[in-house]
mmCIF file of all heavy atoms in Angstrom:
data_model
loop_
_atom_site.group_PDB
_atom_site.id
_atom_site.type_symbol
_atom_site.label_atom_id
_atom_site.label_comp_id
_atom_site.label_asym_id
_atom_site.label_seq_id
_atom_site.Cartn_x
_atom_site.Cartn_y
_atom_site.Cartn_z
ATOM 1 N N VAL U 200 14.237 -32.330 -16.486
ATOM 2 C CA VAL U 200 14.783 -33.353 -15.597
ATOM 3 C C VAL U 200 16.200 -33.019 -15.139
ATOM 4 O O VAL U 200 16.465 -32.831 -13.940
ATOM 5 C CB VAL U 200 14.759 -34.723 -16.301
ATOM 6 C CG1 VAL U 200 15.455 -35.758 -15.434
ATOM 7 C CG2 VAL U 200 13.338 -35.147 -16.555
ATOM 8 N N ILE U 201 17.152 -32.966 -16.072
ATOM 9 C CA ILE U 201 18.549 -32.738 -15.697
ATOM 10 C C ILE U 201 18.738 -31.294 -15.235
ATOM 11 O O ILE U 201 19.537 -31.011 -14.338
ATOM 12 C CB ILE U 201 19.483 -33.080 -16.865
ATOM 13 C CG1 ILE U 201 19.270 -34.534 -17.299
ATOM 14 C CG2 ILE U 201 20.935 -32.883 -16.467
ATOM 15 C CD1 ILE U 201 20.125 -34.976 -18.464
ATOM 16 N N ALA U 202 17.966 -30.355 -15.849
ATOM 17 C CA ALA U 202 18.054 -28.958 -15.410
ATOM 18 C C ALA U 202 17.650 -28.843 -13.939
ATOM 19 O O ALA U 202 18.237 -28.049 -13.177
ATOM 20 C CB ALA U 202 17.149 -28.088 -16.278
ATOM 21 N N ARG U 203 16.664 -29.635 -13.520
ATOM 22 C CA ARG U 203 16.254 -29.624 -12.109
ATOM 23 C C ARG U 203 17.378 -30.142 -11.214
ATOM 24 O O ARG U 203 17.619 -29.614 -10.130
ATOM 25 C CB ARG U 203 15.001 -30.484 -11.944
ATOM 26 C CG ARG U 203 14.401 -30.413 -10.545
ATOM 27 C CD ARG U 203 13.280 -31.419 -10.380
ATOM 28 N NE ARG U 203 12.218 -31.179 -11.330
ATOM 29 C CZ ARG U 203 11.695 -32.111 -12.112
ATOM 30 N NH1 ARG U 203 12.160 -33.344 -12.065
ATOM 31 N NH2 ARG U 203 10.727 -31.819 -12.954
ATOM 32 N N GLU U 204 18.061 -31.169 -11.705
ATOM 33 C CA GLU U 204 19.187 -31.713 -10.930
ATOM 34 C C GLU U 204 20.286 -30.662 -10.790
ATOM 35 O O GLU U 204 20.905 -30.517 -9.734
ATOM 36 C CB GLU U 204 19.748 -32.957 -11.621
ATOM 37 C CG GLU U 204 18.756 -34.096 -11.818
ATOM 38 C CD GLU U 204 18.650 -35.000 -10.593
ATOM 39 O OE1 GLU U 204 19.230 -34.655 -9.561
ATOM 40 O OE2 GLU U 204 17.971 -36.036 -10.705
ATOM 41 N N TRP U 205 20.519 -29.902 -11.872
ATOM 42 C CA TRP U 205 21.530 -28.842 -11.802
ATOM 43 C C TRP U 205 21.113 -27.772 -10.798
ATOM 44 O O TRP U 205 21.924 -27.324 -9.979
ATOM 45 C CB TRP U 205 21.717 -28.194 -13.178
ATOM 46 C CG TRP U 205 22.562 -28.956 -14.147
ATOM 47 C CD1 TRP U 205 22.138 -29.556 -15.286
ATOM 48 C CD2 TRP U 205 23.972 -29.198 -14.086
ATOM 49 N NE1 TRP U 205 23.175 -30.170 -15.930
ATOM 50 C CE2 TRP U 205 24.328 -29.957 -15.204
ATOM 51 C CE3 TRP U 205 24.959 -28.847 -13.166
ATOM 52 C CZ2 TRP U 205 25.624 -30.374 -15.452
ATOM 53 C CZ3 TRP U 205 26.264 -29.260 -13.414
ATOM 54 C CH2 TRP U 205 26.583 -30.017 -14.547
ATOM 55 N N GLU U 206 19.832 -27.349 -10.875
ATOM 56 C CA GLU U 206 19.362 -26.277 -9.993
ATOM 57 C C GLU U 206 19.412 -26.675 -8.520
ATOM 58 O O GLU U 206 19.747 -25.869 -7.661
ATOM 59 C CB GLU U 206 17.934 -25.884 -10.375
ATOM 60 C CG GLU U 206 17.845 -24.954 -11.570
ATOM 61 C CD GLU U 206 16.451 -24.390 -11.759
ATOM 62 O OE1 GLU U 206 15.524 -24.810 -11.026
ATOM 63 O OE2 GLU U 206 16.289 -23.547 -12.643
ATOM 64 N N ARG U 207 19.052 -27.917 -8.230
ATOM 65 C CA ARG U 207 19.002 -28.367 -6.839
ATOM 66 C C ARG U 207 20.362 -28.840 -6.333
ATOM 67 O O ARG U 207 20.503 -29.171 -5.164
ATOM 68 C CB ARG U 207 17.989 -29.509 -6.707
ATOM 69 C CG ARG U 207 16.552 -29.063 -6.967
ATOM 70 C CD ARG U 207 15.604 -30.231 -6.921
ATOM 71 N NE ARG U 207 14.219 -29.799 -7.150
ATOM 72 C CZ ARG U 207 13.189 -30.635 -7.279
ATOM 73 N NH1 ARG U 207 13.391 -31.943 -7.189
ATOM 74 N NH2 ARG U 207 11.977 -30.174 -7.477
ATOM 75 N N GLY U 208 21.325 -28.925 -7.228
ATOM 76 C CA GLY U 208 22.656 -29.360 -6.826
ATOM 77 C C GLY U 208 22.778 -30.847 -6.583
ATOM 78 O O GLY U 208 23.786 -31.313 -6.028
ATOM 79 N N THR U 209 21.760 -31.621 -6.990
ATOM 80 C CA THR U 209 21.789 -33.068 -6.756
ATOM 81 C C THR U 209 22.581 -33.811 -7.825
ATOM 82 O O THR U 209 22.900 -34.977 -7.658
ATOM 83 C CB THR U 209 20.361 -33.636 -6.724
ATOM 84 O OG1 THR U 209 19.679 -33.217 -7.910
ATOM 85 C CG2 THR U 209 19.605 -33.126 -5.515
ATOM 86 N N LEU U 210 22.898 -33.124 -8.936
ATOM 87 C CA LEU U 210 23.665 -33.799 -9.979
ATOM 88 C C LEU U 210 25.095 -34.077 -9.502
ATOM 89 O O LEU U 210 25.668 -35.127 -9.827
ATOM 90 C CB LEU U 210 23.691 -32.960 -11.259
ATOM 91 C CG LEU U 210 24.155 -33.707 -12.506
ATOM 92 C CD1 LEU U 210 23.235 -34.869 -12.817
ATOM 93 C CD2 LEU U 210 24.249 -32.776 -13.705
ATOM 94 N N GLU U 211 25.633 -33.159 -8.723
ATOM 95 C CA GLU U 211 26.962 -33.382 -8.181
ATOM 96 C C GLU U 211 26.965 -34.608 -7.256
ATOM 97 O O GLU U 211 27.931 -35.394 -7.238
ATOM 98 C CB GLU U 211 27.450 -32.155 -7.408
ATOM 99 C CG GLU U 211 27.825 -30.966 -8.272
ATOM 100 C CD GLU U 211 26.613 -30.142 -8.682
ATOM 101 O OE1 GLU U 211 25.463 -30.560 -8.376
ATOM 102 O OE2 GLU U 211 26.784 -29.101 -9.343
ATOM 103 N N ALA U 212 25.872 -34.777 -6.489
ATOM 104 C CA ALA U 212 25.774 -35.945 -5.609
ATOM 105 C C ALA U 212 25.685 -37.225 -6.424
ATOM 106 O O ALA U 212 26.283 -38.258 -6.074
ATOM 107 C CB ALA U 212 24.539 -35.814 -4.703
ATOM 108 N N LEU U 213 24.950 -37.156 -7.556
ATOM 109 C CA LEU U 213 24.853 -38.332 -8.427
ATOM 110 C C LEU U 213 26.212 -38.683 -9.023
ATOM 111 O O LEU U 213 26.556 -39.857 -9.183
ATOM 112 C CB LEU U 213 23.856 -38.067 -9.550
ATOM 113 C CG LEU U 213 22.378 -38.302 -9.250
ATOM 114 C CD1 LEU U 213 21.536 -37.875 -10.429
ATOM 115 C CD2 LEU U 213 22.144 -39.764 -8.916
ATOM 116 N N MET U 214 26.986 -37.664 -9.354
ATOM 117 C CA MET U 214 28.305 -37.908 -9.947
ATOM 118 C C MET U 214 29.228 -38.627 -8.966
ATOM 119 O O MET U 214 30.173 -39.306 -9.379
ATOM 120 C CB MET U 214 28.931 -36.567 -10.370
ATOM 121 C CG MET U 214 28.238 -35.919 -11.556
ATOM 122 S SD MET U 214 28.674 -34.186 -11.740
ATOM 123 C CE MET U 214 30.440 -34.290 -11.849
ATOM 124 N N ALA U 215 28.955 -38.434 -7.655
ATOM 125 C CA ALA U 215 29.798 -39.076 -6.644
ATOM 126 C C ALA U 215 29.440 -40.549 -6.454
ATOM 127 O O ALA U 215 30.163 -41.285 -5.794
ATOM 128 C CB ALA U 215 29.655 -38.336 -5.315
ATOM 129 N N THR U 216 28.298 -40.973 -6.995
ATOM 130 C CA THR U 216 27.881 -42.375 -6.887
ATOM 131 C C THR U 216 28.496 -43.171 -8.043
ATOM 132 O O THR U 216 28.961 -42.578 -9.036
ATOM 133 C CB THR U 216 26.343 -42.489 -6.956
ATOM 134 O OG1 THR U 216 25.916 -42.113 -8.274
ATOM 135 C CG2 THR U 216 25.676 -41.578 -5.940
ATOM 136 N N PRO U 217 28.475 -44.515 -7.952
ATOM 137 C CA PRO U 217 29.064 -45.322 -9.033
ATOM 138 C C PRO U 217 28.148 -45.505 -10.247
ATOM 139 O O PRO U 217 28.364 -46.411 -11.045
ATOM 140 C CB PRO U 217 29.323 -46.668 -8.333
ATOM 141 C CG PRO U 217 28.358 -46.721 -7.220
ATOM 142 C CD PRO U 217 28.139 -45.321 -6.761
ATOM 143 N N ILE U 218 27.138 -44.669 -10.417
ATOM 144 C CA ILE U 218 26.196 -44.828 -11.531
ATOM 145 C C ILE U 218 26.904 -44.589 -12.863
ATOM 146 O O ILE U 218 27.779 -43.714 -12.984
ATOM 147 C CB ILE U 218 24.995 -43.858 -11.363
ATOM 148 C CG1 ILE U 218 23.946 -44.139 -12.429
ATOM 149 C CG2 ILE U 218 25.452 -42.411 -11.434
ATOM 150 C CD1 ILE U 218 22.660 -43.374 -12.209
ATOM 151 N N GLY U 219 26.545 -45.403 -13.870
ATOM 152 C CA GLY U 219 27.096 -45.246 -15.210
ATOM 153 C C GLY U 219 26.228 -44.337 -16.070
ATOM 154 O O GLY U 219 25.079 -44.052 -15.721
ATOM 155 N N MET U 220 26.791 -43.911 -17.205
ATOM 156 C CA MET U 220 26.036 -43.007 -18.079
ATOM 157 C C MET U 220 24.769 -43.660 -18.629
ATOM 158 O O MET U 220 23.715 -43.045 -18.706
ATOM 159 C CB MET U 220 26.942 -42.557 -19.239
ATOM 160 C CG MET U 220 26.262 -41.626 -20.239
ATOM 161 S SD MET U 220 25.648 -40.111 -19.491
ATOM 162 C CE MET U 220 27.205 -39.253 -19.204
ATOM 163 N N GLY U 221 24.880 -44.946 -19.007
ATOM 164 C CA GLY U 221 23.704 -45.656 -19.527
ATOM 165 C C GLY U 221 22.597 -45.734 -18.494
ATOM 166 O O GLY U 221 21.413 -45.517 -18.804
ATOM 167 N N GLU U 222 22.959 -46.064 -17.256
ATOM 168 C CA GLU U 222 21.967 -46.137 -16.183
ATOM 169 C C GLU U 222 21.355 -44.757 -15.936
ATOM 170 O O GLU U 222 20.138 -44.627 -15.751
ATOM 171 C CB GLU U 222 22.624 -46.648 -14.904
ATOM 172 C CG GLU U 222 23.208 -48.047 -15.032
ATOM 173 C CD GLU U 222 24.186 -48.346 -13.916
ATOM 174 O OE1 GLU U 222 24.217 -47.605 -12.917
ATOM 175 O OE2 GLU U 222 24.956 -49.310 -14.049
ATOM 176 N N PHE U 223 22.187 -43.733 -15.961
ATOM 177 C CA PHE U 223 21.710 -42.365 -15.708
ATOM 178 C C PHE U 223 20.676 -41.951 -16.756
ATOM 179 O O PHE U 223 19.588 -41.454 -16.425
ATOM 180 C CB PHE U 223 22.903 -41.407 -15.724
ATOM 181 C CG PHE U 223 22.536 -39.968 -15.548
ATOM 182 C CD1 PHE U 223 22.158 -39.474 -14.311
ATOM 183 C CD2 PHE U 223 22.555 -39.097 -16.632
ATOM 184 C CE1 PHE U 223 21.816 -38.142 -14.146
ATOM 185 C CE2 PHE U 223 22.213 -37.770 -16.479
ATOM 186 C CZ PHE U 223 21.845 -37.292 -15.233
ATOM 187 N N ILE U 224 20.996 -42.162 -18.032
ATOM 188 C CA ILE U 224 20.075 -41.751 -19.104
ATOM 189 C C ILE U 224 18.794 -42.576 -19.052
ATOM 190 O O ILE U 224 17.681 -42.036 -19.151
ATOM 191 C CB ILE U 224 20.756 -41.905 -20.484
ATOM 192 C CG1 ILE U 224 21.967 -40.958 -20.593
ATOM 193 C CG2 ILE U 224 19.766 -41.642 -21.605
ATOM 194 C CD1 ILE U 224 21.623 -39.506 -20.617
ATOM 195 N N LEU U 225 18.916 -43.887 -18.880
ATOM 196 C CA LEU U 225 17.727 -44.744 -18.890
ATOM 197 C C LEU U 225 16.783 -44.428 -17.738
ATOM 198 O O LEU U 225 15.558 -44.431 -17.897
ATOM 199 C CB LEU U 225 18.135 -46.217 -18.851
ATOM 200 C CG LEU U 225 18.671 -46.800 -20.154
ATOM 201 C CD1 LEU U 225 19.126 -48.241 -19.956
ATOM 202 C CD2 LEU U 225 17.612 -46.733 -21.250
ATOM 203 N N THR U 226 17.346 -44.158 -16.555
ATOM 204 C CA THR U 226 16.470 -43.849 -15.418
ATOM 205 C C THR U 226 15.766 -42.510 -15.595
ATOM 206 O O THR U 226 14.714 -42.271 -14.997
ATOM 207 C CB THR U 226 17.281 -43.815 -14.107
ATOM 208 O OG1 THR U 226 18.406 -42.944 -14.271
ATOM 209 C CG2 THR U 226 17.764 -45.204 -13.739
ATOM 210 N N LYS U 227 16.335 -41.639 -16.426
ATOM 211 C CA LYS U 227 15.665 -40.362 -16.719
ATOM 212 C C LYS U 227 14.611 -40.520 -17.808
ATOM 213 O O LYS U 227 13.721 -39.686 -17.932
ATOM 214 C CB LYS U 227 16.702 -39.321 -17.173
ATOM 215 C CG LYS U 227 17.736 -38.963 -16.128
ATOM 216 C CD LYS U 227 17.103 -38.299 -14.938
ATOM 217 C CE LYS U 227 18.153 -37.893 -13.909
ATOM 218 N NZ LYS U 227 17.535 -37.418 -12.651
ATOM 219 N N VAL U 228 14.731 -41.570 -18.617
ATOM 220 C CA VAL U 228 13.844 -41.727 -19.770
ATOM 221 C C VAL U 228 12.653 -42.636 -19.482
ATOM 222 O O VAL U 228 11.504 -42.317 -19.833
ATOM 223 C CB VAL U 228 14.657 -42.282 -20.971
ATOM 224 C CG1 VAL U 228 13.730 -42.773 -22.062
ATOM 225 C CG2 VAL U 228 15.599 -41.225 -21.507
ATOM 226 N N ILE U 229 12.900 -43.765 -18.851
ATOM 227 C CA ILE U 229 11.855 -44.796 -18.721
ATOM 228 C C ILE U 229 10.596 -44.284 -18.014
ATOM 229 O O ILE U 229 9.476 -44.519 -18.504
ATOM 230 C CB ILE U 229 12.429 -46.046 -18.026
ATOM 231 C CG1 ILE U 229 13.430 -46.730 -18.964
ATOM 232 C CG2 ILE U 229 11.322 -47.021 -17.636
ATOM 233 C CD1 ILE U 229 14.133 -47.918 -18.356
ATOM 234 N N PRO U 230 10.676 -43.586 -16.872
ATOM 235 C CA PRO U 230 9.420 -43.122 -16.240
ATOM 236 C C PRO U 230 8.598 -42.212 -17.144
ATOM 237 O O PRO U 230 7.365 -42.305 -17.177
ATOM 238 C CB PRO U 230 9.925 -42.380 -14.995
ATOM 239 C CG PRO U 230 11.264 -42.938 -14.715
ATOM 240 C CD PRO U 230 11.858 -43.255 -16.053
ATOM 241 N N TYR U 231 9.270 -41.352 -17.892
ATOM 242 C CA TYR U 231 8.532 -40.433 -18.778
ATOM 243 C C TYR U 231 8.037 -41.157 -20.027
ATOM 244 O O TYR U 231 7.030 -40.752 -20.621
ATOM 245 C CB TYR U 231 9.426 -39.251 -19.144
ATOM 246 C CG TYR U 231 9.753 -38.420 -17.929
ATOM 247 C CD1 TYR U 231 10.974 -38.579 -17.277
ATOM 248 C CD2 TYR U 231 8.832 -37.531 -17.402
ATOM 249 C CE1 TYR U 231 11.274 -37.851 -16.135
ATOM 250 C CE2 TYR U 231 9.116 -36.798 -16.265
ATOM 251 C CZ TYR U 231 10.337 -36.962 -15.635
ATOM 252 O OH TYR U 231 10.612 -36.243 -14.503
#
Side-chain angles (χ1 to χ4, degrees):
V200 174
I201 303 179
R203 187 188 300 130
E204 301 275 8
W205 281 112
E206 280 190 354
R207 294 176 179 174
T209 52
L210 195 61
E211 288 82 355
L213 276 175
M214 290 164 56
T216 67
I218 187 172
M220 179 59 73
E222 299 163 14
F223 177 74
I224 296 293
L225 284 176
T226 52
K227 297 296 182 188
V228 166
I229 291 176
Y231 295 99

